[in-house]
Amino acid sequence: MREFVTDHRQDLLDDLDAWLRIPGISAQPEHHGDVARSAEWFAEAARRTGFPTVEIWPTAGLPTVFAEWPSAEPDAPVVLVYGHHDVQPVDPLELWNTDPFDPTIDGDVLRARGASDDKGQLLFHLLGLRAHLAATGRDTPAVTLKLLIEGEEESGSPNFAGMLTERRARLDADIVVITDTGMVAPDVPSTVTGMRGLVVCTVTFHGPDMDLHSGVFGGAIPNPATAIARLAAALHDETGRVQVPGFYDDVLELTAEERDLFARVPVNDTEFLAVTHSRALAGESGFSTLERVGARPTAEVNGIGGGYQGSGGKTIVPSDAFVKLSFRLVANQDPRAITAAVEAFIAAHTPAGIEASVEWEGEGVAPCLVPLGTPAYEALTAAISEAFDGLPVLPTREGGSGPEAAIQTIIGAPLVFLGVGLPDDQIHAPNEKVTVSMLYKGAEAAGLLWGRVAALGRPGLRG
């Protein structure tokens, strides 16, 4: 397996160079044509790899790529691999050291938008499948392999759950492999065992129907900017705990065993601060950095404003002010319940004379959790460990959010996460990069995984 990956490394780099040049930014309408081109490119790459069935599925928004390669074994397990081909915007462009859509390689680092999130991680699967076939001498995979490559993940997957429901029969699987995450460090193989959910809103406070002179009217009428600042400040207490009533009611707390496993993951707070370009740690007291970003719910102020924003002074009581909020959720928390709780909190912190409006971005994303020790989890960690020369594989949790919970609910198959991104890949930020050697490790792990999954059989995967 490793010999084949080593001999065909340039194939992966050549494909990455071509694909990364397509600016498939799903959040920007002017790039929707590029997202369609991105889908066409990956569809052709899947055909070149050998997939006999490759389709581009239209949605109410942007296209998804589906590919399927049946195993010759009649009772072979069915594996669904999920990822996404769209990418984040590149703003602010002036902070990039290179053109974000002109891939550049410096030693073991490849820089471009989408290099890590998620194009590089998808392409290692194509190389890994070729390695699996070559190393085993097979004409078809040991498992029936399906690929589901979304085109709207970076825009909140607004049409994804509907597509899953509509095409449920085509997507039937015994195991789902998510390939849109990462590992702790190059020499610390790990796998994600949970993804946080998310609800996002914009709160607007309206006071007087026009901006007013602060000398004539200030101190006599409510100021929306002051009120919105107080709302934001009221979100947390001095220990970092969220103050929305009922916010923690359904949180699935970490067990002692899980906290012990988290403690074994070598997260260095000094290195963490360096990656974040920050100068101090913060957050809910009583929890480690890794627990805070993966296993605890949060409330964040994403933006705040109101009134005059230009140079110099303008002495007014502004008519309006706003705050943008996001809430990351953990296992057992329901986005609908959190939405209701936040709206009640906002109402309780809206002073007389202020009109509040709340605009939610969609219905939110539910969290998901991968149980440790399942047959699917053991097969994955064994494959990763072998690719990393026998090193133990540690469980972590991902602080971000995606459509994994929808996949878990609608497909109804166990999830595992095979991702090789690193904490300093700067995904969603200028100068995104991927460590090329990690992609090769990912390809080897993927190639090894299909044999291990096949050995379990369909009944074995379900435990």
Side-chain angles (χ1 to χ4, degrees):
M1 202 77 66
R2 182 171 298 178
E3 181 180 353
F4 184 93
V5 170
T6 300
D7 290 345
H8 293 83
R9 288 178 172 181
Q10 193 60 43
D11 296 347
L12 188 153
L13 293 180
D14 290 344
D15 277 349
L16 255 183
D17 183 80
W19 199 14
L20 289 169
R21 292 180 184 277
I22 301 175
I25 304 170
S26 61
Q28 298 177 340
E30 62 269 28
H31 284 289
H32 285 183
D34 294 315
V35 178
R37 285 202 300 130
S38 174
E40 292 282 0
W41 189 96
F42 185 78
E44 180 55 32
R47 294 186 188 101
R48 283 191 282 109
T49 302
F51 281 88
T53 298
V54 181
E55 301 169 4
I56 295 179
W57 290 351
T59 71
L62 298 169
T64 290
V65 182
F66 173 78
E68 182 175 9
W69 194 339
S71 174
E73 306 299 329
D75 297 322
V78 180
V79 179
L80 177 66
V81 175
Y82 167 81
H84 65 91
H85 65 89
D86 63 320
V87 301
Q88 278 275 317
V90 297
D91 310 84
L93 186 60
E94 66 272 12
L95 296 184
W96 285 79
N97 297 325
T98 58
D99 186 324
F101 295 109
D102 182 10
T104 59
I105 296 180
D106 181 9
D108 197 27
V109 171
L110 187 156
R111 292 195 184 278
R113 173 59 88 224
S116 179
D117 184 24
D118 186 33
K119 292 178 177 179
Q121 308 219 48
L122 291 173
L123 287 182
F124 82 59
H125 271 284
L126 298 187
L127 177 57
L129 176 56
R130 292 170 58 203
H132 164 73
L133 295 171
T136 59
R138 301 180 59 91
D139 295 323
T140 65
V143 298
T144 289
L145 194 59
K146 301 178 181 181
L147 307 180
L148 185 67
I149 313 304
E150 187 190 358
E152 295 184 311
E153 195 273 347
E154 299 293 12
S155 298
S157 303
N159 299 291
F160 191 65
M163 185 196 64
L164 289 177
T165 301
E166 178 185 351
R167 300 182 181 268
R168 171 67 182 80
R170 295 289 302 278
L171 298 171
D172 186 58
D174 299 300
I175 177 178
V176 178
V177 178
I178 307 296
T179 185
D180 183 23
T181 52
M183 295 187 176
V184 175
D187 56 350
V188 184
S190 58
T191 180
V192 169
T193 59
M195 296 281 287
R196 291 195 292 189
L198 175 67
V199 291
V200 178
C201 69
T202 299
V203 184
T204 300
F205 275 4
H206 177 71
D209 290 337
M210 62 180 180
D211 292 348
L212 298 174
H213 191 295
S214 66
V216 177
F217 301 102
I221 59 170
N223 185 315
T226 302
I228 212 78
R230 286 175 175 157
L231 171 68
L235 278 171
H236 303 89
D237 67 12
E238 65 279 2
T239 69
R241 190 170 175 85
V242 178
Q243 293 301 286
V244 175
F247 189 73
Y248 295 94
D249 286 357
D250 298 322
V251 169
L252 183 63
E253 301 289 346
L254 289 168
T255 66
E257 179 185 5
E258 287 171 327
R259 297 199 75 174
D260 178 64
L261 288 170
F262 269 73
R264 297 181 194 179
V265 178
V267 175
N268 183 296
D269 284 344
T270 300
E271 294 176 359
F272 182 86
L273 288 173
V275 169
T276 61
H277 296 267
S278 186
R279 285 156 292 283
L281 295 172
E284 188 181 2
S285 63
F287 296 93
S288 68
T289 299
L290 191 62
E291 290 170 341
R292 287 172 180 166
V293 299
R296 298 299 298 169
T298 63
E300 293 294 342
V301 174
N302 307 131
I304 189 168
Y308 180 63
Q309 305 290 320
S311 301
K314 185 180 182 184
T315 53
I316 60 169
V317 176
S319 176
D320 296 282
F322 72 89
V323 64
K324 292 182 176 290
L325 305 175
S326 64
F327 300 85
R328 299 284 176 172
L329 315 180
V330 297
N332 282 12
Q333 285 185 297
D334 183 344
R336 294 169 298 182
I338 297 302
T339 295
V342 170
E343 289 189 346
F345 178 81
I346 293 167
H349 287 79
T350 302
I354 297 290
E355 295 177 1
S357 62
V358 186
E359 181 179 355
W360 295 94
E361 294 187 16
E363 297 180 355
V365 177
C368 76
L369 187 65
V370 176
L372 305 186
T374 65
Y377 180 83
E378 295 295 342
L380 174 79
T381 53
I384 294 174
S385 178
E386 186 173 348
F388 281 79
D389 299 320
L391 290 173
V393 179
L394 298 174
T396 63
R397 293 197 190 178
E398 174 62 53
S401 307
E404 290 78 14
I407 298 172
Q408 193 173 41
T409 300
I410 296 170
I411 304 301
L415 264 60
V416 292
F417 290 77
L418 175 54
V420 295
L422 294 174
D424 63 352
D425 278 352
Q426 296 175 244
I427 63 173
H428 295 205
N431 302 306
E432 179 180 347
K433 62 90 173 170
V434 71
T435 300
V436 176
S437 58
M438 292 297 287
L439 295 181
Y440 301 145
K441 290 289 189 183
E444 185 178 346
L448 292 164
L449 179 59
W450 308 142
R452 291 185 176 275
V453 170
L456 285 172
R458 302 192 76 174
L461 274 173
R462 300 284 181 157

